[in-house]
Amino acid sequence: MDKNQNIFSFFFVSLLLFQNANVYTWALSESKVYIVYMGARQHGDVNRITSTHNDMLTSVLGSRKAAVGSMIYSYRHGFSGFAAMMTESQAQTIANLPGVVKVMPNSVYKLQTTRTWDYLGLPYNSANTLLNDSKMGDDIIVAVLDSGVTPENEAYSDKGVGPIPSKWKGYCESGQMFDPKKNCNRKLIGARYFIDGYLAYKGQPGITTGIRDYISPRDADGHGTHTSSTAAGSPVSNVSYKGLSLGTFRGGAPRARLAIYKVGWEDGLFTDADILKGFDTAIHDGVDVISASFGANVPLYSELYPQAGAVSFGSFHAVAQGISVVAAGGNSGPAAQTVSNGEPWIITVAANTPDRAFPTPITLGNGQTLMGQSLFTGKDTGVVNLVAAQGPCESLSTNSRWITGNMVLCFTGMRGSDLEVAGFVGRARAVVRMMRGLGIIVAQKPFTSLDAYDDSFPSVQVDYETGTKILYYIVSIRDPKARLSPSKTQIGKPISSVIAKYSARGPYTINSVILKPDIAAPGTNILAAYVPENPAIPISTFQIISGTSMATPHVAGIVALLKATNPNWSPAAIKSAIVTTAWTCDPSSGQPIFNEGETMSKLADAFDYGGGIINPNKARYPGLIYDMSTADYLQCLCAMGYDSSVVSGLAGQTTACNNGISILNVNFPSITIPNLNGSVTLTRTVTNVGPVNSVYKVMVESPKGITVAVTPSTLNFSPNVKKMSFSVQISTSYGSNTGYYFGSLTWNDGVNNVKIPISVKTMY
């Protein structure tokens, strides 16, 4: 796991390296990294581009030596710009130079983690599925911008993988505990690392001393290994997490190639400078898909354009080159207006639970057995004493001597994000273990991520209702007892999917007309490759982790399969196919999809999951697509109020903004109106990618109290008519309303249901 999505890139201004020690000390304390974004490249001579960057920096810093010393990165492949160390006044000076679109300070991003492929309808070695049709993603190159890779894991085996695609221009980079000759192969074809931006952020430009990470593409955190193997890992049989979730592991596109760009470092921190260098290099190297499982915190804010950072600019130029970019929506849920990485050209991912659970039996002394959830893989506790904490789990401390020799029931009292609650749960477990307690039962609000319950210490989570039953048992008997048994793996019915509590929700604060997130995918309790517990023994290790970070590579893997089967589809076409074919009910049970949050009584809506849960096989044949080009995205920015000079800088050529364009008419595969007053009419255009002679009829599910009229109501496609536009009139007699109502618009030809979500809020 991030208003107006402006498209400037930034640069980092390097510390001035003055010969005078006093001046150097002053410069070091006053300078910081800035990104100078100069838009699209004006020519293909990369050395000349870098020289231009040095000349510009020299004109401000006063000498070529100072410019070279302060330069961190030159961005010269996918776009033009640089990162360097400089003072605020120098940054202001450079911002006024010709050719500079935007100058902004470096920002910091944070991480946002297999039954899942069967759950999504892509069983291994199956006929008539997207996996089979795409040859498992063969020759597609998936780039993963993350914390690196653990190359010895069997998930990166190149057994059965063909030659490296001829379009590949990248390479593997040597470094600490990473030898390209040993660690790269026909599967792991690229591995680079970019750390200079992070070092500057730490206040030690160019100095890696004291960095608790491998100065190489090798992963010390595990996050990058987990995400990359989920996207395109090779099959590995008999994989489990300590016996749980046993089966064959594989990534979504098991024959696709992986290119790793390590831009995340110790403490899970990513900087704009390194991220932009990752995007720039990936574009140059010839990748097909970019997966980015990190994002900014909300609220989103910067000088002119909230969240105008590395992901915004790098992703725009990638999409302009035909590269699909998939990014995590963030882990700030379940509150509304928390989604990040919401640029209109990005596929923004929410997280849902798959149809798999890890029930953990709790047997009370009266013989009653209740079920909790855990990844408890230790030994059965036997019958032990059971006590209830007098306060919330957060109040447990090493002064709580009554814990010793007992199993503890406690209730979480904290309100906050899932990650915050998980942190408090982890501390409570640590206290009980330290005080020689025999186990812990944590009662908490709906929360299915089990990251805080993943070792051999007896621990289990239950909901408040189950926790209350256990509490009543404790207070009703003189000598309460309990027994905690190891967790089991359960799949299929009656387990239904929910949108995970932690998954960030819309509406999108930067521009609520842009529906975000776009799609949901499995992100809770996902099993994938991980770093070994002992770095000196590089055995294949697998771990269960949760987050929109884990949902993102699921979508990236599916995008790789769609790229393989539809090589001429644009990133917008692939996104449309994914959104319009998504499941809006549980893939396994057919039950409604609920929204996991403060209450489980709310059905999920478009702000929870966009189009729904990704449906790979339907996305292979969507029937119709809502396509967009780079020019459409530029006009979208114009409609959002951006100056023609800014849009021109991004495009690399003069681009006039049409003042009459409405963002409501941008060809999104969704309709969101945050301020309907009376009536509004908008247009959409669909392209037929199904049978040449097709007739589609419209079906509308109007939001409550809203009238939706579509003209024409029938679309007739033929060899000469491949695209058709239609108008949608949306009206209401409501007055002001504080909330959104949801509906949908579907085109049906008897086989395909091409469905887009509608969300409307009225105002006077």
mmCIF file of all heavy atoms in Angstrom, residues 699-733:
data_model
loop_
_atom_site.group_PDB
_atom_site.id
_atom_site.type_symbol
_atom_site.label_atom_id
_atom_site.label_comp_id
_atom_site.label_asym_id
_atom_site.label_seq_id
_atom_site.Cartn_x
_atom_site.Cartn_y
_atom_site.Cartn_z
ATOM 1 N N MET A 699 -29.454 -1.735 -20.513
ATOM 2 C CA MET A 699 -30.185 -2.052 -19.286
ATOM 3 C C MET A 699 -29.660 -1.106 -18.210
ATOM 4 O O MET A 699 -28.451 -1.000 -18.012
ATOM 5 C CB MET A 699 -29.957 -3.509 -18.868
ATOM 6 C CG MET A 699 -30.400 -4.543 -19.889
ATOM 7 S SD MET A 699 -30.251 -6.265 -19.273
ATOM 8 C CE MET A 699 -28.500 -6.362 -18.957
ATOM 9 N N VAL A 700 -30.569 -0.421 -17.534
ATOM 10 C CA VAL A 700 -30.180 0.570 -16.547
ATOM 11 C C VAL A 700 -30.743 0.209 -15.177
ATOM 12 O O VAL A 700 -31.927 -0.107 -15.046
ATOM 13 C CB VAL A 700 -30.660 1.980 -16.940
ATOM 14 C CG1 VAL A 700 -30.375 2.979 -15.823
ATOM 15 C CG2 VAL A 700 -29.985 2.425 -18.235
ATOM 16 N N GLU A 701 -29.887 0.225 -14.191
ATOM 17 C CA GLU A 701 -30.308 0.145 -12.799
ATOM 18 C C GLU A 701 -30.063 1.530 -12.207
ATOM 19 O O GLU A 701 -28.928 1.892 -11.884
ATOM 20 C CB GLU A 701 -29.516 -0.909 -12.040
ATOM 21 C CG GLU A 701 -29.927 -1.052 -10.586
ATOM 22 C CD GLU A 701 -29.052 -2.033 -9.821
ATOM 23 O OE1 GLU A 701 -28.258 -2.754 -10.449
ATOM 24 O OE2 GLU A 701 -29.159 -2.057 -8.578
ATOM 25 N N SER A 702 -31.106 2.322 -12.124
ATOM 26 C CA SER A 702 -30.951 3.717 -11.709
ATOM 27 C C SER A 702 -30.682 3.828 -10.216
ATOM 28 O O SER A 702 -31.266 3.087 -9.412
ATOM 29 C CB SER A 702 -32.207 4.520 -12.049
ATOM 30 O OG SER A 702 -32.416 4.568 -13.442
ATOM 31 N N PRO A 703 -29.799 4.739 -9.818
ATOM 32 C CA PRO A 703 -29.642 5.009 -8.387
ATOM 33 C C PRO A 703 -30.964 5.484 -7.791
ATOM 34 O O PRO A 703 -31.804 6.055 -8.498
ATOM 35 C CB PRO A 703 -28.585 6.121 -8.358
ATOM 36 C CG PRO A 703 -27.857 5.993 -9.665
ATOM 37 C CD PRO A 703 -28.884 5.531 -10.644
ATOM 38 N N LYS A 704 -31.167 5.248 -6.526
ATOM 39 C CA LYS A 704 -32.421 5.594 -5.868
ATOM 40 C C LYS A 704 -32.759 7.066 -6.071
ATOM 41 O O LYS A 704 -31.940 7.946 -5.804
ATOM 42 C CB LYS A 704 -32.316 5.282 -4.379
ATOM 43 C CG LYS A 704 -33.599 5.523 -3.603
ATOM 44 C CD LYS A 704 -33.433 5.147 -2.143
ATOM 45 C CE LYS A 704 -34.715 5.395 -1.357
ATOM 46 N NZ LYS A 704 -34.544 5.052 0.082
ATOM 47 N N GLY A 705 -33.970 7.324 -6.578
ATOM 48 C CA GLY A 705 -34.441 8.687 -6.764
ATOM 49 C C GLY A 705 -33.851 9.400 -7.963
ATOM 50 O O GLY A 705 -34.088 10.596 -8.154
ATOM 51 N N ILE A 706 -33.086 8.679 -8.783
ATOM 52 C CA ILE A 706 -32.414 9.271 -9.941
ATOM 53 C C ILE A 706 -33.006 8.673 -11.215
ATOM 54 O O ILE A 706 -33.279 7.471 -11.278
ATOM 55 C CB ILE A 706 -30.898 9.003 -9.905
ATOM 56 C CG1 ILE A 706 -30.307 9.479 -8.582
ATOM 57 C CG2 ILE A 706 -30.203 9.653 -11.081
ATOM 58 C CD1 ILE A 706 -30.397 10.958 -8.342
ATOM 59 N N THR A 707 -33.201 9.510 -12.222
ATOM 60 C CA THR A 707 -33.681 9.041 -13.523
ATOM 61 C C THR A 707 -32.509 9.019 -14.495
ATOM 62 O O THR A 707 -31.780 10.013 -14.634
ATOM 63 C CB THR A 707 -34.780 9.963 -14.072
ATOM 64 O OG1 THR A 707 -35.876 9.981 -13.146
ATOM 65 C CG2 THR A 707 -35.266 9.474 -15.427
ATOM 66 N N VAL A 708 -32.326 7.884 -15.168
ATOM 67 C CA VAL A 708 -31.242 7.721 -16.136
ATOM 68 C C VAL A 708 -31.851 7.340 -17.486
ATOM 69 O O VAL A 708 -32.524 6.308 -17.593
ATOM 70 C CB VAL A 708 -30.244 6.639 -15.691
ATOM 71 C CG1 VAL A 708 -29.139 6.474 -16.731
ATOM 72 C CG2 VAL A 708 -29.652 6.981 -14.331
ATOM 73 N N ALA A 709 -31.641 8.179 -18.496
ATOM 74 C CA ALA A 709 -32.152 7.921 -19.850
ATOM 75 C C ALA A 709 -30.981 7.822 -20.812
ATOM 76 O O ALA A 709 -30.125 8.722 -20.857
ATOM 77 C CB ALA A 709 -33.107 9.032 -20.276
ATOM 78 N N VAL A 710 -30.911 6.734 -21.592
ATOM 79 C CA VAL A 710 -29.804 6.484 -22.512
ATOM 80 C C VAL A 710 -30.302 6.562 -23.948
ATOM 81 O O VAL A 710 -31.313 5.951 -24.306
ATOM 82 C CB VAL A 710 -29.175 5.103 -22.248
ATOM 83 C CG1 VAL A 710 -28.025 4.839 -23.221
ATOM 84 C CG2 VAL A 710 -28.688 5.004 -20.808
ATOM 85 N N THR A 711 -29.591 7.319 -24.798
ATOM 86 C CA THR A 711 -29.953 7.478 -26.207
ATOM 87 C C THR A 711 -28.715 7.280 -27.082
ATOM 88 O O THR A 711 -27.692 7.928 -26.860
ATOM 89 C CB THR A 711 -30.522 8.889 -26.459
ATOM 90 O OG1 THR A 711 -31.597 9.141 -25.556
ATOM 91 C CG2 THR A 711 -31.009 9.008 -27.883
ATOM 92 N N PRO A 712 -28.784 6.379 -28.074
ATOM 93 C CA PRO A 712 -29.883 5.449 -28.351
ATOM 94 C C PRO A 712 -29.876 4.296 -27.349
ATOM 95 O O PRO A 712 -28.878 4.066 -26.665
ATOM 96 C CB PRO A 712 -29.556 4.956 -29.754
ATOM 97 C CG PRO A 712 -28.059 5.010 -29.822
ATOM 98 C CD PRO A 712 -27.667 6.226 -29.030
ATOM 99 N N SER A 713 -30.962 3.580 -27.321
ATOM 100 C CA SER A 713 -31.074 2.453 -26.395
ATOM 101 C C SER A 713 -30.583 1.148 -27.014
ATOM 102 O O SER A 713 -30.485 0.138 -26.322
ATOM 103 C CB SER A 713 -32.524 2.289 -25.940
ATOM 104 O OG SER A 713 -33.373 2.055 -27.051
ATOM 105 N N THR A 714 -30.287 1.184 -28.310
ATOM 106 C CA THR A 714 -29.759 0.012 -29.022
ATOM 107 C C THR A 714 -28.549 0.430 -29.839
ATOM 108 O O THR A 714 -28.561 1.482 -30.493
ATOM 109 C CB THR A 714 -30.821 -0.599 -29.947
ATOM 110 O OG1 THR A 714 -31.960 -0.990 -29.168
ATOM 111 C CG2 THR A 714 -30.271 -1.821 -30.670
ATOM 112 N N LEU A 715 -27.493 -0.382 -29.812
ATOM 113 C CA LEU A 715 -26.287 -0.132 -30.597
ATOM 114 C C LEU A 715 -26.119 -1.254 -31.610
ATOM 115 O O LEU A 715 -26.060 -2.433 -31.241
ATOM 116 C CB LEU A 715 -25.056 -0.060 -29.688
ATOM 117 C CG LEU A 715 -25.070 0.983 -28.572
ATOM 118 C CD1 LEU A 715 -23.795 0.882 -27.740
ATOM 119 C CD2 LEU A 715 -25.221 2.392 -29.137
ATOM 120 N N ASN A 716 -26.049 -0.890 -32.891
ATOM 121 C CA ASN A 716 -25.900 -1.875 -33.972
ATOM 122 C C ASN A 716 -24.503 -1.759 -34.575
ATOM 123 O O ASN A 716 -24.167 -0.743 -35.209
ATOM 124 C CB ASN A 716 -26.946 -1.633 -35.056
ATOM 125 C CG ASN A 716 -28.346 -1.978 -34.597
ATOM 126 O OD1 ASN A 716 -28.752 -3.136 -34.585
ATOM 127 N ND2 ASN A 716 -29.099 -0.948 -34.204
ATOM 128 N N PHE A 717 -23.694 -2.798 -34.394
ATOM 129 C CA PHE A 717 -22.336 -2.793 -34.933
ATOM 130 C C PHE A 717 -22.274 -3.664 -36.184
ATOM 131 O O PHE A 717 -22.998 -4.662 -36.310
ATOM 132 C CB PHE A 717 -21.350 -3.317 -33.893
ATOM 133 C CG PHE A 717 -21.214 -2.417 -32.696
ATOM 134 C CD1 PHE A 717 -21.956 -2.660 -31.536
ATOM 135 C CD2 PHE A 717 -20.362 -1.328 -32.727
ATOM 136 C CE1 PHE A 717 -21.843 -1.835 -30.440
ATOM 137 C CE2 PHE A 717 -20.249 -0.495 -31.627
ATOM 138 C CZ PHE A 717 -20.984 -0.746 -30.488
ATOM 139 N N SER A 718 -21.394 -3.283 -37.105
ATOM 140 C CA SER A 718 -21.232 -3.992 -38.382
ATOM 141 C C SER A 718 -19.778 -3.861 -38.813
ATOM 142 O O SER A 718 -18.985 -3.187 -38.134
ATOM 143 C CB SER A 718 -22.153 -3.370 -39.426
ATOM 144 O OG SER A 718 -21.725 -2.052 -39.740
ATOM 145 N N PRO A 719 -19.401 -4.471 -39.938
ATOM 146 C CA PRO A 719 -18.014 -4.318 -40.405
ATOM 147 C C PRO A 719 -17.623 -2.862 -40.612
ATOM 148 O O PRO A 719 -16.438 -2.519 -40.511
ATOM 149 C CB PRO A 719 -18.009 -5.096 -41.726
ATOM 150 C CG PRO A 719 -19.065 -6.135 -41.545
ATOM 151 C CD PRO A 719 -20.139 -5.458 -40.753
ATOM 152 N N ASN A 720 -18.591 -2.011 -40.908
ATOM 153 C CA ASN A 720 -18.303 -0.594 -41.147
ATOM 154 C C ASN A 720 -18.532 0.284 -39.918
ATOM 155 O O ASN A 720 -18.194 1.464 -39.930
ATOM 156 C CB ASN A 720 -19.160 -0.072 -42.301
ATOM 157 C CG ASN A 720 -18.858 -0.775 -43.607
ATOM 158 O OD1 ASN A 720 -17.693 -1.068 -43.895
ATOM 159 N ND2 ASN A 720 -19.887 -1.077 -44.389
ATOM 160 N N VAL A 721 -19.139 -0.282 -38.888
ATOM 161 C CA VAL A 721 -19.424 0.482 -37.675
ATOM 162 C C VAL A 721 -18.817 -0.268 -36.487
ATOM 163 O O VAL A 721 -19.396 -1.226 -35.983
ATOM 164 C CB VAL A 721 -20.941 0.679 -37.465
ATOM 165 C CG1 VAL A 721 -21.186 1.489 -36.193
ATOM 166 C CG2 VAL A 721 -21.573 1.351 -38.661
ATOM 167 N N LYS A 722 -17.655 0.189 -36.051
ATOM 168 C CA LYS A 722 -16.961 -0.461 -34.943
ATOM 169 C C LYS A 722 -17.019 0.349 -33.654
ATOM 170 O O LYS A 722 -16.781 -0.187 -32.571
ATOM 171 C CB LYS A 722 -15.502 -0.718 -35.325
ATOM 172 C CG LYS A 722 -15.350 -1.676 -36.507
ATOM 173 C CD LYS A 722 -13.896 -1.923 -36.840
ATOM 174 C CE LYS A 722 -13.763 -2.891 -38.012
ATOM 175 N NZ LYS A 722 -12.333 -3.144 -38.362
ATOM 176 N N LYS A 723 -17.319 1.651 -33.796
ATOM 177 C CA LYS A 723 -17.440 2.524 -32.632
ATOM 178 C C LYS A 723 -18.785 3.215 -32.660
ATOM 179 O O LYS A 723 -19.254 3.606 -33.737
ATOM 180 C CB LYS A 723 -16.337 3.583 -32.605
ATOM 181 C CG LYS A 723 -14.960 3.074 -32.281
ATOM 182 C CD LYS A 723 -13.997 4.249 -32.116
ATOM 183 C CE LYS A 723 -12.609 3.775 -31.727
ATOM 184 N NZ LYS A 723 -11.680 4.906 -31.501
ATOM 185 N N MET A 724 -19.375 3.372 -31.504
ATOM 186 C CA MET A 724 -20.627 4.109 -31.403
ATOM 187 C C MET A 724 -20.639 4.910 -30.101
ATOM 188 O O MET A 724 -20.150 4.447 -29.073
ATOM 189 C CB MET A 724 -21.836 3.175 -31.456
ATOM 190 C CG MET A 724 -22.056 2.495 -32.797
ATOM 191 S SD MET A 724 -23.696 1.718 -32.908
ATOM 192 C CE MET A 724 -24.746 3.183 -33.025
ATOM 193 N N SER A 725 -21.234 6.097 -30.197
ATOM 194 C CA SER A 725 -21.382 6.940 -29.017
ATOM 195 C C SER A 725 -22.832 6.945 -28.572
ATOM 196 O O SER A 725 -23.745 6.712 -29.369
ATOM 197 C CB SER A 725 -20.927 8.374 -29.318
ATOM 198 O OG SER A 725 -19.558 8.409 -29.658
ATOM 199 N N PHE A 726 -23.029 7.212 -27.291
ATOM 200 C CA PHE A 726 -24.379 7.328 -26.755
ATOM 201 C C PHE A 726 -24.390 8.414 -25.692
ATOM 202 O O PHE A 726 -23.343 8.761 -25.115
ATOM 203 C CB PHE A 726 -24.869 5.986 -26.185
ATOM 204 C CG PHE A 726 -24.023 5.431 -25.072
ATOM 205 C CD1 PHE A 726 -24.303 5.723 -23.737
ATOM 206 C CD2 PHE A 726 -22.947 4.586 -25.348
ATOM 207 C CE1 PHE A 726 -23.530 5.198 -22.718
ATOM 208 C CE2 PHE A 726 -22.166 4.065 -24.328
ATOM 209 C CZ PHE A 726 -22.460 4.366 -23.002
ATOM 210 N N SER A 727 -25.544 8.973 -25.463
ATOM 211 C CA SER A 727 -25.682 10.012 -24.443
ATOM 212 C C SER A 727 -26.448 9.458 -23.255
ATOM 213 O O SER A 727 -27.291 8.568 -23.398
ATOM 214 C CB SER A 727 -26.393 11.245 -25.006
ATOM 215 O OG SER A 727 -27.721 10.929 -25.362
ATOM 216 N N VAL A 728 -26.131 9.988 -22.095
ATOM 217 C CA VAL A 728 -26.785 9.575 -20.862
ATOM 218 C C VAL A 728 -27.289 10.835 -20.160
ATOM 219 O O VAL A 728 -26.494 11.709 -19.794
ATOM 220 C CB VAL A 728 -25.813 8.822 -19.932
ATOM 221 C CG1 VAL A 728 -26.550 8.317 -18.690
ATOM 222 C CG2 VAL A 728 -25.142 7.661 -20.656
ATOM 223 N N GLN A 729 -28.598 10.923 -20.020
ATOM 224 C CA GLN A 729 -29.189 12.042 -19.285
ATOM 225 C C GLN A 729 -29.520 11.569 -17.873
ATOM 226 O O GLN A 729 -30.256 10.596 -17.680
ATOM 227 C CB GLN A 729 -30.453 12.565 -19.967
ATOM 228 C CG GLN A 729 -31.041 13.793 -19.261
ATOM 229 C CD GLN A 729 -32.326 14.274 -19.896
ATOM 230 O OE1 GLN A 729 -33.239 13.477 -20.128
ATOM 231 N NE2 GLN A 729 -32.400 15.564 -20.207
ATOM 232 N N ILE A 730 -28.964 12.261 -16.908
ATOM 233 C CA ILE A 730 -29.175 11.903 -15.507
ATOM 234 C C ILE A 730 -29.845 13.079 -14.819
ATOM 235 O O ILE A 730 -29.350 14.211 -14.866
ATOM 236 C CB ILE A 730 -27.840 11.555 -14.828
ATOM 237 C CG1 ILE A 730 -27.180 10.377 -15.572
ATOM 238 C CG2 ILE A 730 -28.039 11.207 -13.361
ATOM 239 C CD1 ILE A 730 -25.841 9.973 -15.020
ATOM 240 N N SER A 731 -30.990 12.818 -14.206
ATOM 241 C CA SER A 731 -31.753 13.899 -13.586
ATOM 242 C C SER A 731 -32.315 13.459 -12.247
ATOM 243 O O SER A 731 -32.420 12.266 -11.945
ATOM 244 C CB SER A 731 -32.887 14.349 -14.512
ATOM 245 O OG SER A 731 -33.728 13.260 -14.838
ATOM 246 N N THR A 732 -32.679 14.468 -11.452
ATOM 247 C CA THR A 732 -33.229 14.203 -10.124
ATOM 248 C C THR A 732 -34.126 15.342 -9.692
ATOM 249 O O THR A 732 -33.964 16.480 -10.125
ATOM 250 C CB THR A 732 -32.095 14.027 -9.088
ATOM 251 O OG1 THR A 732 -32.663 13.740 -7.822
ATOM 252 C CG2 THR A 732 -31.257 15.286 -8.985
ATOM 253 N N SER A 733 -35.073 15.009 -8.859
ATOM 254 C CA SER A 733 -35.912 16.033 -8.241
ATOM 255 C C SER A 733 -35.541 16.203 -6.775
ATOM 256 O O SER A 733 -36.169 16.962 -6.048
ATOM 257 C CB SER A 733 -37.397 15.638 -8.352
ATOM 258 O OG SER A 733 -37.619 14.386 -7.726
#
